[in-house]
Amino acid sequence: MSAQILDGKAVSEAMRAEIAGAVQELRSEDVTPGLGVLLVGDDPASRSYVTAKEKACEKAGIFSLEIRLPATAARGEILDVVQSFNKDTRIDGILVQLPLPDADMEDDVLFAVNPEKDVDGFHPVNVGRMMLGMPTYLPCTPHGILHLLKRSGIKVAGAHVVIVGRSNIVGRPLANMLSQKSELGNATVTMCHTRTRDLASHTLRADILVAAAGRPRTITAEMVREGAVVVDVGVNRVEDAAAKNGYRLVGDVDFEAVKEKAAAITPVPGGVGPMTITMLLYNTVEFARRQNG
Ligand code: GUN
């Protein structure tokens, strides 16, 4: 059996067309949704995410303002940019690309973002609202995964979802959202991490397995139950002399082997990645709507 490919690119295209329609409507009322992006340092992966986000904004008719600071930027300089975005009426949503070169600054910087403009849903107030099931803006990658599953006809309610990875950006918010009594939730969730004993004993029990560990080949075919749905959140650069840039992107899952066992699987690239950007556009437009009544 070869798995159904969960095509994040196609689902994203459909959603982005809907979002572009909503932007046109807002623009006809003289409201242009705007996104402020701050990139600190020159991590190649972060640079390419930010470029992809900008291109997607432009295509959807969303105004975007990007500010880049060197890796050596002081805490005060970073906070000044965040404050300028907070005050700028052209900007409805703010995104600070993570990780910051100095991880110790992340809490302060995320806390400085106006929660009403926090398109990532990373501000503690919004994390708390999400945790309590209150209306809020949901972090883009987990929210994108839930929409990809829904639009691909995969039922989450009642399923046992095993998540490998406990990051604040993916694993933990995803576990929270899936376990809620809500339209996109109602799953039974197991969360695994680097200290989990006998990882395979958990992954083999998954109806839906989400790999978000940030390490190639974390999930091999022996770790996947026949007929499971596999969602690969990993984006890892591995050297490849035959590739144009000298590297290629692979996920956390051994795709070629696992696709012969799974019922459905997301590719890398073209699976979860485009959905993250789509949900960012979605949140930005929702903010603009809300801020303009
Ligand atoms: N780095 C990796 N994923 C994300 C994301 O969704 N938002 C931000 N701000 N940084 C990230």
Side-chain angles (χ1 to χ4, degrees):
M1 179 179 72
S2 199
Q4 172 197 353
I5 301 297
L6 301 175
D7 188 345
K9 210 164 155 229
V11 171
S12 277
E13 267 166 31
M15 288 187 76
R16 287 185 203 188
E18 293 164 18
I19 293 166
V23 173
Q24 284 319 312
E25 241 174 70
L26 283 167
R27 288 180 74 137
S28 71
E29 294 160 20
D30 266 348
V31 175
T32 302
L35 177 71
V37 177
L38 172 58
L39 174 63
V40 186
D42 47 21
D43 173 63
S46 291
R47 257 200 340 245
S48 66
Y49 290 140
V50 165
T51 305
K53 285 166 187 172
E54 282 196 324
K55 277 194 191 145
C57 279
E58 196 182 323
K59 206 163 161 206
I62 295 172
F63 165 72
S64 80
L65 176 61
E66 188 202 316
I67 298 205
R68 294 186 182 210
L69 292 177
T72 51
R75 186 183 301 255
E77 284 176 86
I78 298 173
L79 292 174
D80 282 349
V81 172
V82 172
Q83 292 305 350
S84 75
F85 284 161
N86 283 343
K87 285 192 207 122
D88 191 332
T89 52
R90 296 170 301 170
I91 290 178
D92 301 288
I94 299 171
L95 180 142
V96 180
Q97 184 65 31
L98 300 180
L100 291 177
D102 180 351
D104 287 345
M105 291 185 191
E106 281 179 11
D107 287 351
D108 282 354
V109 172
L110 295 180
F111 203 65
V113 172
N114 177 353
E116 301 295 323
K117 293 190 175 189
D118 172 31
V119 268
D120 265 323
F122 290 168
H123 189 285
V125 165
N126 290 327
V127 175
R129 293 182 69 91
M130 175 193 67
M131 166 76 197
L132 295 168
M134 294 164 75
T136 187
Y137 292 92
L138 299 169
C140 300
T141 301
H143 199 193
I145 292 169
L146 298 187
H147 277 280
L148 178 57
L149 293 173
K150 184 175 177 204
R151 292 204 180 212
S152 307
I154 289 165
K155 263 187 82 172
V156 161
H160 179 202
V161 183
V162 177
I163 302 169
V164 182
R166 57 178 157 186
S167 70
N168 287 342
I169 294 180
V170 186
R172 291 208 276 181
L174 182 62
N176 190 279
M177 289 155 72
L178 280 166
S179 62
Q180 294 205 13
K181 196 171 183 177
S182 68
E183 195 210 332
L184 294 171
N186 286 314
T188 301
V189 182
T190 298
M191 184 150 58
C192 303
H193 45 74
T194 42
R195 299 292 289 270
T196 296
R197 265 187 277 131
D198 192 6
L199 181 60
S201 70
H202 297 281
T203 59
L204 280 166
R205 292 174 50 237
D207 299 314
I208 301 174
L209 175 60
V210 181
R215 192 164 36 90
R217 294 181 57 84
T218 299
I219 304 297
T220 57
E222 307 74 59
M223 300 168 77
V224 178
R225 191 174 61 75
E226 193 85 40
V229 172
V230 179
V231 177
D232 191 351
V233 189
V235 185
N236 307 294
R237 289 182 177 208
V238 293
E239 280 182 28
D240 182 351
K244 201 169 62 184
N245 317 323
Y247 70 86
R248 70 194 154 85
L249 295 179
V250 298
D252 290 354
V253 175
D254 180 2
F255 180 84
E256 289 305 323
V258 170
K259 82 175 193 314
E260 299 306 322
K261 231 173 153 186
I265 187 167
T266 62
V268 176
V272 174
M275 293 302 297
T276 298
I277 297 181
T278 301
M279 300 320 294
L280 175 70
L281 305 178
Y282 176 91
N283 278 355
T284 305
V285 173
E286 284 303 308
F287 272 95
R289 269 205 185 122
R290 200 163 77 168
Q291 265 153 47
N292 294 279

Coordinates of all heavy atoms in Angstrom, one line a residue, residues 49 53 95-99 120 122 140-141 169 276, ligand 1:
Y49 N 12.2 31.2 5.7 CA 10.8 31.3 6.1 C 10.2 32.7 6.0 O 9.1 32.9 5.5 CB 10.7 30.9 7.6 CG 10.9 29.5 8.0 CD1 11.6 29.2 9.2 CD2 10.5 28.5 7.3 CE1 11.9 27.9 9.6 CE2 10.7 27.2 7.7 CZ 11.4 26.9 8.8 OH 11.7 25.6 9.2
K53 N 7.1 34.1 3.8 CA 6.0 34.7 4.4 C 5.7 36.0 3.7 O 4.5 36.4 3.4 CB 6.3 35.0 5.9 CG 6.2 33.8 6.8 CD 6.8 34.0 8.1 CE 6.8 32.7 8.9 NZ 7.5 32.7 10.2
L95 N 5.0 39.5 14.0 CA 5.6 38.2 14.1 C 7.1 38.4 14.3 O 7.8 39.1 13.6 CB 5.4 37.4 12.7 CG 6.1 36.0 12.7 CD1 5.2 35.1 11.9 CD2 7.5 36.1 12.0
V96 N 7.6 37.8 15.4 CA 9.0 37.8 15.7 C 9.5 36.4 15.4 O 9.1 35.5 16.0 CB 9.3 38.2 17.2 CG1 10.8 38.2 17.4 CG2 8.7 39.5 17.6
Q97 N 10.4 36.3 14.3 CA 10.8 35.0 13.9 C 11.7 34.4 15.0 O 12.6 35.0 15.5 CB 11.6 35.1 12.6 CG 12.0 33.8 12.0 CD 10.9 32.9 11.6 OE1 9.8 33.4 11.2 NE2 11.0 31.6 11.7
L98 N 11.4 33.2 15.4 CA 12.1 32.4 16.4 C 12.9 31.3 15.7 O 12.5 30.8 14.6 CB 11.2 31.8 17.4 CG 10.3 32.8 18.2 CD1 9.4 32.1 19.2 CD2 11.2 33.8 18.9
P99 N 14.0 30.8 16.2 CA 14.6 31.3 17.5 C 15.3 32.6 17.3 O 15.9 32.9 16.2 CB 15.6 30.1 17.8 CG 16.0 29.6 16.4 CD 14.8 29.7 15.6
D120 N 1.1 35.1 16.1 CA 1.6 33.7 16.4 C 0.9 33.0 17.5 O 1.1 31.8 17.7 CB 3.1 33.8 16.8 CG 4.0 33.6 15.6 OD1 3.7 32.8 14.7 OD2 5.1 34.3 15.5
F122 N 1.8 33.5 20.6 CA 2.9 33.1 21.6 C 2.9 33.9 22.9 O 3.6 33.6 23.8 CB 4.2 33.3 20.9 CG 4.5 32.3 19.8 CD1 5.6 32.5 18.9 CD2 3.7 31.2 19.6 CE1 5.9 31.6 17.9 CE2 4.0 30.3 18.6 CZ 5.1 30.5 17.7
C140 N 0.3 29.1 14.5 CA 0.1 28.8 13.1 C 0.4 27.3 12.7 O -0.4 26.8 12.0 CB 0.9 29.7 12.2 SG 0.4 31.5 12.5
T141 N 1.4 26.8 13.2 CA 1.8 25.4 12.8 C 0.7 24.4 13.3 O 0.2 23.6 12.5 CB 3.2 25.0 13.2 OG1 4.1 26.0 12.6 CG2 3.6 23.6 12.7
I169 N 6.2 25.9 20.3 CA 5.7 26.3 19.0 C 4.8 25.3 18.4 O 3.8 25.6 17.7 CB 6.8 26.7 18.0 CG1 7.6 27.9 18.5 CG2 6.3 26.9 16.6 CD1 8.8 28.3 17.6
T276 N 1.5 26.4 7.6 CA 1.9 27.4 8.7 C 1.7 28.8 8.1 O 1.1 29.7 8.8 CB 3.3 27.2 9.1 OG1 3.4 25.9 9.7 CG2 3.8 28.2 10.1
Ligands
GUN1 N1 10.0 29.6 14.0 C1 9.6 28.4 13.6 N2 8.2 28.4 13.5 C2 7.8 29.6 13.8 C3 6.5 30.2 13.9 O1 5.5 29.6 13.6 N3 6.5 31.5 14.3 C4 7.7 32.2 14.6 N4 7.5 33.5 15.0 N5 8.9 31.7 14.5 C5 8.9 30.4 14.2

